[in-house]
Amino acid sequence: MRRPQRGPLVTFSVALAWVVTVVVLRAQVAPYDLVIRNARVVDGTGNPWFRADIGIRGDEIATIARRINAPATRTIDAAGQVAAPGFIDIHVHAFGGAGQPPSPFPIVEVPTADNYVRQGVTTLIGGPDGFSPVPLRPALELTAKTGITPNLGTFIGHGSIRAAVFGSVDRAPTAGELERMRALALEGMRDGAFGLSTGLFYVPAIFSKTDEVVELARVVGASGGIHISHMRDEELKVEDSVRETIAIGEQGELPTQVTHHKTIGKASWGKTVATLRQIDEARQRGVDVTVDVYPYTASATSISAALMPVWAQEGGREDILKRLRDPVTRRRILVETIRILLDGRGGGDARNVMVSRCDWNPSLAGQRLDDVAAGRGKSRSIEEAADTALWLVESGDCGGIYFAIGEDDIQRILRHPASMIASDGGVVVFGRASPHPRSYGTFVRVLGRYVRDLKVLTLEDAIRKMSSLPARRIGLADRGILRERMKADVVIFDPATVRDIATFEQPHQYAQGISVVVINGQVAFENGAVTTARPGRILYGPARIP
Ligand SMILES: [Zn+2]
């Protein structure tokens, strides 16, 4: 009997069918590492939420679909909860505050950055207000080696560059010094910065003219970076400062941002009507200017920077102490400090100033300025409060919190389409000192107070301001939106219970209502605890040369 011969075509067809079957089967059964089921997906674009499953493979979102049936190594049921892109905070003091970064700096001291991760923040951008490590590379390498929970990127700081080149003096740079500053800005971009931060309110940057900043902005802009400014004046002259921030963007030919926008002191409340109009007009004529904001009516910075006149802050600490020792000069400083307490950051009353951290006397943290005065056996008068502020500076300086921002201004900025949410907080050691509660609560406070309770924003718009908008701002193309092939940074939370409980009196309280945080595909927070995974990466800007 003759065996039926298979023709070559038949053999090929059989083989093809087998290959197709295997490919199809594999596609169907290829397991996901993690599937988040039944979530209300708020995807970060501002679009209305939709119900879907999110399939994650490796560090990426592989699928977002109504129903994912393929097997998964792990499944999280998010029914009744929101899944959103992990929040991106464009203003974090990850390397410390003003001046030289402390050692070890905060993100290395607390690599899990619990106060942020527990709010759903998955990316921190450090180096704000003109202060960053200079050069950046060693700090980024140390951070990478340490292993961190959230992702971390940074700006390069103009003030730190200025201090590195010619110290803390009130003059313009020489041509040679300016050239050196430009070179350091370029080096910062090549080390991976996302742009240039300035803190024209702070010594030494306060001694800079706009054209000096523009020179560095051009270098950074040509490398694809942005400019972000803690403005020269957030009080009576805030409109001049917004004009300057816009001019830096316009003349430096780069995107520019007013960071932690606010108007401090009762005399300046309501000025955001005018400043936001300035922003709108600049945008209309083609200047790419945006703002960010934190949702609190108090600001925070050092007692010396907030309550002393600028001229008294020039030079190093020894120069400041010398001025305070001279009775005539001290009297001049005191008069201006009284004025600042009455019309500026002091909000008209010494009780509006709270000491947040004193390394030389930790027991002062949490006390109001008039209490500190009383503790020294002084009266609670504004004069004695001012004298006490100078005494704090003399004794080693302290951090301070200043209740002098209007609620209406916050809401007005929150509603503006070009505003995003940023904390201006720091990576903090749980329980240490009395930090501004924004470090623990910024993002969940917006979701709880301003979305759910006050209905200032829709949930979708609030999420957009925490994710795709800051991502777009710094050119982070693969984060900030829940979409296939984006990096899997995801936060899952209950919109009915999400809230901040950190207060000015009791700041060390973690966010509530966040249930799971996923960073680069790995679960970084669940069951009320940050996991042992350290999935965070260093994120680099557009001009990095490895
Ligand atoms: Zn600032």
Side-chain angles (χ1 to χ4, degrees), residues 91 129 202 230 259-260 424:
H91 189 135
D129 294 344
Y202 291 107
H230 178 146
T259 200
H260 52 51
D424 188 18

Side-chain angles (χ1 to χ4, degrees), residues 189-214:
M189 291 303 292
R190 289 181 172 162
D191 285 350
F194 284 93
L196 179 74
S197 78
T198 56
L200 300 180
F201 167 76
Y202 291 107
V203 171
I206 200 162
F207 306 127
S208 310
K209 300 274 191 298
T210 309
D211 57 1
E212 171 191 321
V213 179
V214 168

